[in-house]
Amino acid sequence: MIQPYIDLARGLRDELALEARDVARVLEPLDDEEREPEDGRGQRHDAGSLLTALGVFWVYLFWSQFLTIWYGNLPDEIAFFIRRRTPGWEAEVMAAVLLIFAVPLVLLMMGKATESPAILGFAALCQVGGLWIERHLLVVPSLAPAGAPVFDVHGALVALGLLGAFVLAAFWPGGRGLLP
């Protein structure tokens, strides 16, 4: 019997997801009392630096955990990675790495990219989408039978339901939304 996989870095990755969500607060328009002399450029630059740091830290956690398990040849935990290296799941792993790390890093390393709210918002949206894919990778391959498609109707309906709950929580009339 295969022992359940215990992810010791999950708490740190959950904290990363919360930090990426909180970057959206920085991207809000500033009140007149809080407006910086340069119209918020410094704050957007800080948000871009934070997004870059979060992406690099996520890759560090993922790689250090993978390296320890793979080269240690830990039989209880290696099945987790072998399952995700099968065709179909590999593409999802690459999508998560690209969206969480590569796309924001390339976008935010450009000269004045952090001064543009559109580029900064796109980078934050990529990271949040990549973290959503990562959560899918943590759960679904363990539950799906071998040879099952990566995405199916049930998975799409669950994703749409979660997206609907997110939008409802964020834009409920008269509510505070997701921001404290």
Side-chain angles (χ1 to χ4, degrees):
M1 178 175 170
I2 297 176
Q3 296 292 323
Y5 174 72
I6 299 172
D7 188 0
L8 298 177
R10 179 159 187 233
L12 291 171
R13 286 200 303 264
D14 287 346
E15 183 63 29
L16 274 175
L18 293 174
E19 292 293 332
R21 184 206 63 194
D22 290 342
V23 169
R25 184 172 190 202
V26 176
L27 300 177
E28 282 185 346
L30 298 172
D31 293 336
D32 288 333
E33 300 169 359
E34 300 176 19
R35 192 167 300 278
E36 294 180 5
E38 63 230 20
D39 198 24
R41 279 190 217 129
Q43 195 173 21
R44 284 193 297 269
H45 179 75
D46 292 345
S49 297
L50 179 62
L51 284 175
T52 304
L54 290 174
V56 170
F57 186 60
W58 179 86
V59 166
Y60 167 74
L61 287 176
F62 179 77
W63 180 251
S64 62
Q65 188 175 18
F66 172 75
L67 197 63
T68 304
I69 292 170
W70 192 260
Y71 281 107
N73 201 15
L74 304 173
D76 293 343
E77 297 179 1
I78 204 162
F80 177 85
F81 288 107
I82 290 174
R83 176 81 168 124
R84 283 143 186 89
R85 290 195 60 183
T86 58
W89 295 110
E90 283 182 328
E92 193 170 344
V93 170
M94 287 308 300
V97 171
L98 286 173
L99 288 174
I100 296 172
F101 173 67
V103 171
L105 183 72
V106 169
L107 283 176
L108 298 174
M109 294 302 268
M110 294 187 300
K112 303 281 184 180
T114 56
E115 293 178 10
S116 168
I119 293 175
L120 199 55
F122 181 71
L125 188 64
C126 282
Q127 278 195 341
V128 170
L131 288 168
W132 194 348
I133 290 172
E134 184 210 15
R135 296 308 186 262
H136 183 261
L137 273 169
L138 287 174
V139 175
V140 175
S142 301
L143 301 175
V150 175
F151 292 105
D152 58 355
V153 175
H154 295 99
L157 291 175
V158 168
L160 285 174
L162 288 172
L163 181 63
F166 173 80
V167 169
L168 188 64
F171 300 109
W172 186 261
R176 288 182 7 179
L178 297 174
L179 303 176

